[in-house]
Amino acid sequence: MRSSTSSSNASEFDRPLPGRPMGASWLVAVLVCVLMIGAWEMYWRGQGATPAYRNSEGLWAIQRRRIDAGDGHRQVLTGSSRTLFNLNLDTWEKVSGERPIQLALEGTSPLGVLESLAEDPHFTGQALVGVAPGLFYSGFEYRKKALTQFDKESWSQWLGQQISMRIEPFFAFYEPDFALFTVLERQPLPDREGVQNELDVRKLSNTISVDRNTQMWSRVETDPAYADIAQRTWADGFKPIEERDAEWIEKSLETRKTQIDRAVAAVETLRARGVEVIFVQHPVEGHYAVAEPMYHPRDKTWDVLIERSGAIGLHWQDHPEMQGYRLPEWSHMSASEAQRYTETLLRLIEQERARNKEQE
Amino acid sequence: MLFNSLTFVVFFGLVLALHNAPLDWKTKKTNLLIASYLFYAAWNPPFVVLLWLSTVLDWNIAKRLFSEQRLSRRRMLLAVSVAVNLGLLGYFKYGEFLMENFVALLSLAGVAYQAPEWNIILPVGISFYTFQTMAYSLDVYLKRAEPADSFLDFALFVTFFPQLVAGPIVRPTHLLPQFAVPRKATGRQLAWGLGLIVLGLFQKIVVADGLLSPVADAAFNSDKLLNPLDAWLGTLAFSGQIFSDFAGYSTTAIGVALTLGFGLPDNFRYPYASIGFSDFWRRWHISLSSWLRDYLYIPLGGNRKNEFRTYANLMTTMLLGGLWHGASWTFVVWGGLHGLFLAAERWLVGRFGKLGIWSRWPARIFLALLTYALVNITWVFFRAQDFATAWRMITSMLSFPSDGEKVLTSIYVLETVLTIGAMLVVHWRMRNRDLHQVVAATPAWLVGALLGIMMTLILITQGGSDAFIYFQF
């Protein structure tokens, strides 16, 4: 017998329901949820967290799109976390009169961003490229998804980002580092024999404005035990280069050459369009002061990059003004130091520009 | 658009508001249709054209099938519908797979052929809506149903956003009649629908993505032989992940539809409490297994022919069912294993099924555990990205290598044992019950507290908007 597709007796398709109303249950549910979320929020505020913007792919994509929407003439900052933490946008704006676009991505080589800028005819400003040797010369890209999101962002991703940005400034717990299972994974359970537990990078920064002005989280400055965890994370799994086999070293040398080639090519393209590129190697201490020269000796990396690219280069070892800052976990500056450092760096950039002009 | 996204929260709120606004029924259906296209276009707007193509084609073909009396013409019309629907599916989903196999065959024959790069993106949920629209033409051809009266209703049937991209695959005779008359959720339907949405999102965000996915990834992404405990826990974690991910989608879809006043059928009934594989397929992805039964297994002859044909039909159905999931030989093996287990069960039941021992609880628990263990073996082929990984996992699980690598941290071991243990207890206790009955028999405050805890865990897990696994099928 044929079934009808236009039956008027559509109630036969109703789903069965619980045999009593659920109003009281929903009342309890909302109450429980509000109380538990309130407790969770208070816990994180007690840990020193304050509401901030999530340093998400979508937030980065918004800044990147500015270049194609009339801001292509501006100063762009790109690099890794050191450029993100150490350069304060408010200070930069106060000193130079123009607010730069912050495109640095933590744990990520800036070359992908630099190439993207080189390919984009809308970009006609200046590019400051932070060089963190371990990332720059290895090409490692922890946050590559940001570039993918910029290229292929769907309208629902865009809308999701817009909604999220309306919520973020109100909740301290709404932060990837405080996600439940991230927190659980970091609990000091006894190690399982034979399993290497790698230390994860924990929350180090706060993004305090929608244009990604980012500064070190105050707890890293004020809580030595927390700074110690960060230091241990950086040094975790470190192996002196003598312990590396020849094949590994050969491969890393090849990769290094490729990265320098990529940088030089991007600078040439940008310079042909009149874009100024400045490379900056920010100061480091402790583990990084040992590991970086060991794996990326300056004469084989930085000096080659600056010579081949012909770009302005500011290396912390060359300028006493770039030294002596407080780096609580060896790699990044505290918020107050970042303001002082930004002023200094701008002054040095102007000096380098003037020197270059004189030479011309 | 993903259910587990902030965009969906706003989208759903707007759809719900419009559906409850004082508008006429046709306007409300038009709103739902536009919302459904927007929902789909969130991934890749041009692919909406595929939905339109399927809609217009099957609408017209079904009309003609209904009025046409000549068998040859009817067959031709059905062939056009099937060819276009499966053609689109084949091109987008299986094109690269066919090309790779073609190149491999040529290579075996000593012909070196470099295939052009295949840069075709898979339209989300294409397998689901293709089967849904094909069911419409097939039902009309088989005279199981009459064509829809309204093009708007039919377009909405093809596109209805709650179940568009990952099911349940709904039959025309189930959904079209619901569009024919005005429907709006009652207060109780709304409350229960919202409860189902919370449960579905909890399954997806907390259980699948938060608890189990990292464990399965750690085991399956290793390129070494694993310690047996790690291999088993990785596989068990995947079994829980795939269930929670897919059942979570279905539960959310059912909840969303219910808040709009529509009833969608169940897609899962606590499958890890199955006793035997035929029981498993009555509980796992019910809308697909019943589709395959009604439109493939039975038309092939089902069990009405001789014994050999029955087994052959079973294997054919399950092999194609495996291929439906993905364009890879690992999915074919997954389907083949299920076919083999179903065939073996049929043979064993025919010979030993009447023994009294099978009705006693120790035997039933043994059979349930055996079924679960074998289902887990099949999941290895479903999850592994290639046969090398699958063999590595199977070897690690079954040969107990003494030097197998440990990859799971203490917290992963703990999470998996507790989650899978709890999941098995829930499935076993709920085996012969319905959720709405259990909720009705539970104190209101306890139901509320559980809902509140689930909502909190969803919020503090802060899911990363990971796509549902079945979107890729």
Side-chain angles (χ1 to χ4, degrees):
Chain A
M1 196 175 86
R2 278 181 197 171
S3 301
S4 174
T5 51
S6 57
S7 164
S8 58
N9 183 23
S11 61
E12 64 185 284
F13 304 109
D14 283 347
R15 286 192 63 85
L17 303 173
R20 60 171 160 73
M22 289 187 68
S25 294
W26 271 109
L27 211 61
V28 173
V30 171
L31 193 67
V32 166
C33 184
V34 167
L35 287 175
M36 288 178 75
I37 290 291
W40 189 245
E41 174 72 8
M42 279 169 63
Y43 170 76
W44 286 112
R45 291 201 183 214
Q47 295 292 310
T50 49
Y53 288 97
R54 289 162 73 98
N55 180 21
S56 60
E57 280 82 22
L59 195 67
W60 187 90
I62 290 171
Q63 292 308 304
R64 175 63 183 83
R65 272 197 298 273
R66 285 176 59 194
I67 289 166
D68 303 328
D71 278 344
H73 62 284
R74 284 184 183 270
Q75 171 78 53
V76 166
L77 310 177
T78 181
S80 311
S81 55
R82 289 172 196 164
T83 304
L84 191 64
F85 290 29
N86 295 0
L87 298 181
N88 182 288
L89 302 193
D90 294 336
T91 307
W92 189 292
E93 186 178 14
K94 200 170 79 184
V95 173
S96 73
E98 189 188 84
R99 198 169 176 86
I101 297 173
Q102 177 57 277
L103 293 182
L105 287 163
E106 74 277 16
T108 304
S109 161
L111 285 174
V113 178
L114 194 64
E115 285 170 339
S116 156
L117 293 173
E119 287 164 13
D120 188 343
H122 294 108
F123 179 54
T124 55
Q126 305 93 42
L128 182 148
V129 185
V131 177
L135 300 165
F136 192 95
Y137 301 111
S138 71
F140 185 74
E141 293 178 304
Y142 172 66
R143 297 291 304 278
K144 191 177 183 177
K145 274 169 74 180
L147 279 90
T148 313
Q149 178 139 347
F150 164 68
D151 282 336
K152 298 179 178 169
E153 190 173 54
S154 66
W155 69 262
S156 64
Q157 281 178 313
W158 175 86
L159 184 59
Q161 175 64 31
Q162 298 298 320
I163 300 164
S164 183
M165 281 158 55
R166 268 64 183 176
I167 301 168
E168 290 162 14
F170 299 101
F171 296 102
F173 82 85
Y174 187 38
E175 143 81 49
D177 275 287
F178 304 149
L180 177 63
F181 292 101
T182 305
V183 174
L184 278 179
E185 281 184 22
R186 292 173 182 172
Q187 294 311 301
L189 288 181
D191 279 349
R192 201 174 152 220
E193 194 191 337
V195 181
Q196 179 80 27
N197 277 331
E198 288 185 3
L199 282 169
D200 284 329
V201 181
R202 299 183 184 210
K203 179 177 172 64
L204 295 174
S205 64
N206 263 353
T207 300
I208 54 174
S209 70
V210 281
D211 64 354
R212 302 183 76 241
N213 194 15
T214 302
Q215 61 187 32
M216 179 176 278
W217 184 27
S218 56
R219 189 173 171 190
V220 190
E221 277 183 71
T222 57
D223 182 349
Y226 194 80
D228 183 56
I229 293 174
Q231 290 177 353
R232 280 191 284 119
T233 306
W234 301 141
D236 188 38
F238 173 71
K239 208 187 240 191
I241 198 161
E242 299 79 41
E243 293 177 20
R244 300 284 185 184
D245 59 41
E247 190 187 349
W248 188 95
I249 290 174
E250 192 186 339
K251 202 174 163 192
S252 73
L253 291 178
E254 264 175 42
T255 307
R256 176 199 291 171
K257 184 180 175 311
T258 307
Q259 305 313 310
I260 293 175
D261 289 346
R262 285 175 66 191
V264 170
V267 171
E268 280 172 4
T269 309
L270 287 163
R271 192 184 289 130
R273 217 166 48 231
V275 172
E276 177 193 61
V277 179
I278 303 168
F279 288 104
V280 178
Q281 190 155 329
H282 304 290
V284 290
E285 285 177 355
H287 163 75
Y288 287 107
V290 175
E292 288 184 354
M294 182 187 287
Y295 277 87
H296 311 284
R298 180 178 166 156
D299 61 328
K300 303 275 192 326
T301 54
W302 174 264
D303 293 348
V304 177
L305 173 71
I306 299 304
E307 190 190 333
R308 283 190 56 200
S309 68
I312 295 175
L314 292 166
H315 193 296
W316 67 278
Q317 287 174 330
D318 296 339
H319 301 276
E321 303 95 314
M322 291 171 76
Q323 298 163 20
Y325 292 87
R326 188 167 171 243
L327 310 172
E329 35 69 89
W330 300 335
S331 185
H332 308 99
M333 289 175 194
S334 61
S336 57
E337 292 283 74
Q339 291 175 17
R340 194 161 67 88
Y341 179 75
T342 306
E343 280 181 31
T344 304
L345 196 66
L346 273 167
R347 205 165 47 241
L348 284 172
I349 289 170
E350 284 310 316
Q351 284 173 9
E352 285 297 310
R353 281 176 179 154
R355 200 164 61 86
N356 276 8
K357 262 192 185 161
E358 274 174 26
Q359 283 174 353
E360 282 168 14
Chain B
M1 194 183 302
L2 297 166
F3 285 157
N4 51 329
S5 67
L6 288 169
T7 310
F8 181 75
V9 176
V10 173
F11 168 87
F12 177 55
L14 288 172
V15 170
L16 207 55
L18 277 173
H19 196 67
N20 285 282
L23 301 167
D24 64 75
W25 183 231
K26 192 174 176 186
T27 307
K28 286 184 180 182
K29 285 193 289 189
T30 309
N31 289 339
L32 283 178
L33 185 65
I34 293 168
S36 298
Y37 286 133
L38 278 173
F39 180 86
Y40 194 71
W43 280 286
N44 201 331
F47 284 149
V48 171
V49 174
L50 295 179
L51 285 174
W52 292 339
L53 186 63
S54 270
T55 306
V56 172
L57 177 87
D58 285 302
W59 166 259
N60 284 299
I61 283 189
K63 284 277 179 213
R64 291 181 189 194
L65 273 173
F66 187 65
S67 57
E68 181 60 59
Q69 299 304 318
R70 289 165 292 176
L71 185 62
S72 59
R73 291 276 295 172
R74 287 171 58 77
R75 279 183 178 158
M76 195 196 73
L77 284 165
L78 181 69
V80 170
S81 167
V82 170
V84 173
N85 280 307
L86 290 186
L88 287 173
L89 185 64
Y91 177 72
F92 284 101
K93 185 165 176 173
Y94 300 104
E96 188 175 14
F97 175 67
L98 291 172
M99 181 62 83
E100 282 171 3
N101 283 281
F102 177 67
V103 171
L105 273 175
L106 285 181
S107 172
L108 276 178
V111 180
Y113 172 66
Q114 181 72 39
E117 200 177 338
W118 192 269
N119 280 326
I120 305 297
I121 302 167
L122 179 69
V124 169
I126 188 170
S127 306
F128 287 92
Y129 66 73
T130 299
F131 270 35
Q132 190 154 312
T133 51
M134 273 172 56
Y136 177 71
S137 296
L138 284 162
D139 275 357
V140 176
Y141 174 80
L142 295 167
K143 301 189 177 176
R144 292 175 183 166
E146 294 173 6
D149 295 330
S150 149
F151 181 73
L152 176 60
D153 288 6
F154 178 69
L156 191 53
F157 158 73
V158 175
T159 321
F160 190 47
F161 76 86
Q163 45 81 235
L164 170 63
V165 291
I169 301 167
V170 187
R171 303 297 176 83
T173 47
H174 188 99
L175 204 48
L176 280 166
Q178 298 189 60
F179 295 145
V181 287
R183 289 179 82 86
K184 195 173 86 170
T186 62
R188 286 176 61 191
Q189 282 177 322
L190 186 68
W192 183 234
L194 290 173
L196 291 177
I197 292 171
V198 170
L199 176 62
L201 291 178
F202 173 79
Q203 286 178 291
K204 164 64 180 169
I205 295 170
V206 180
V207 183
D209 291 350
L211 283 164
L212 299 174
S213 163
V215 184
D217 289 348
F220 280 88
N221 290 346
S222 171
D223 58 359
K224 299 189 175 69
L225 273 183
L226 297 184
N227 177 282
L229 179 70
D230 294 60
W232 270 104
L233 287 178
T235 304
L236 290 173
F238 181 68
S239 77
Q241 183 199 352
I242 188 85
F243 168 75
S244 305
D245 189 284
F246 193 18
Y249 188 93
S250 295
T251 307
T252 310
I254 290 166
V256 169
L258 189 57
T259 58
L260 297 167
F262 301 100
L264 295 182
D266 283 335
N267 214 15
F268 292 87
R269 285 196 194 113
Y270 312 100
Y272 293 147
S274 303
I275 299 175
F277 274 76
S278 48
D279 190 24
F280 178 80
W281 280 103
R282 282 192 291 270
R283 296 168 178 276
W284 178 273
H285 203 173
I286 298 163
S287 63
L288 175 70
S289 56
S290 60
W291 197 101
L292 291 171
R293 181 196 64 209
D294 293 347
Y295 299 107
L296 187 60
Y297 179 69
I298 291 174
L300 283 172
N303 59 3
R304 299 186 308 277
K305 311 274 173 161
N306 59 44
E307 186 102 338
F308 174 78
R309 275 293 298 273
T310 301
Y311 286 116
N313 293 340
L314 204 53
M315 283 306 293
T316 307
T317 304
M318 295 314 292
L319 285 169
L320 289 173
L323 199 58
W324 177 89
H325 284 84
S328 162
W329 287 110
T330 51
F331 287 111
V332 178
V333 169
W334 174 79
L337 282 174
H338 272 276
L340 277 177
F341 291 139
L342 280 166
E345 179 182 314
R346 184 179 174 83
W347 187 84
L348 287 167
V349 167
R351 274 138 195 89
F352 310 109
K354 286 181 182 155
L355 297 179
I357 186 173
W358 302 122
S359 57
R360 293 182 195 153
W361 70 266
R364 290 170 68 77
I365 288 178
F366 167 76
L367 288 176
L369 289 174
L370 180 65
T371 307
Y372 182 58
L374 293 175
V375 164
N376 272 283
I377 298 285
T378 69
W379 283 137
V380 170
F381 292 91
F382 195 95
R383 171 61 178 80
Q385 51 272 39
D386 49 44
F387 280 113
T389 307
W391 287 127
R392 207 164 38 240
M393 286 296 285
I394 294 285
T395 309
S396 303
M397 288 162 77
L398 301 180
S399 73
F400 300 98
S402 55
D403 57 346
E405 191 182 39
K406 293 178 182 172
V407 292
L408 302 183
T409 58
S410 310
I411 188 74
Y412 281 176
V413 171
L414 194 64
E415 283 175 4
T416 309
V417 169
L418 292 177
T419 310
I420 297 299
M423 192 177 283
L424 290 179
V425 169
V426 168
H427 281 224
W428 190 253
R429 286 187 63 83
M430 293 296 294
R431 192 180 134 74
N432 297 317
R433 300 177 200 200
D434 285 317
L435 184 61
H436 66 278
Q437 289 168 340
V438 173
V439 167
T442 307
W445 66 267
L446 185 54
V447 172
L450 290 172
L451 275 173
I453 291 167
M454 284 195 286
M455 281 157 52
T456 306
L457 291 175
I458 288 168
L459 291 173
I460 68 174
T461 294
Q462 301 180 38
S465 286
D466 293 315
F468 289 80
I469 295 174
Y470 264 70
F471 280 12
Q472 63 191 290
F473 307 143

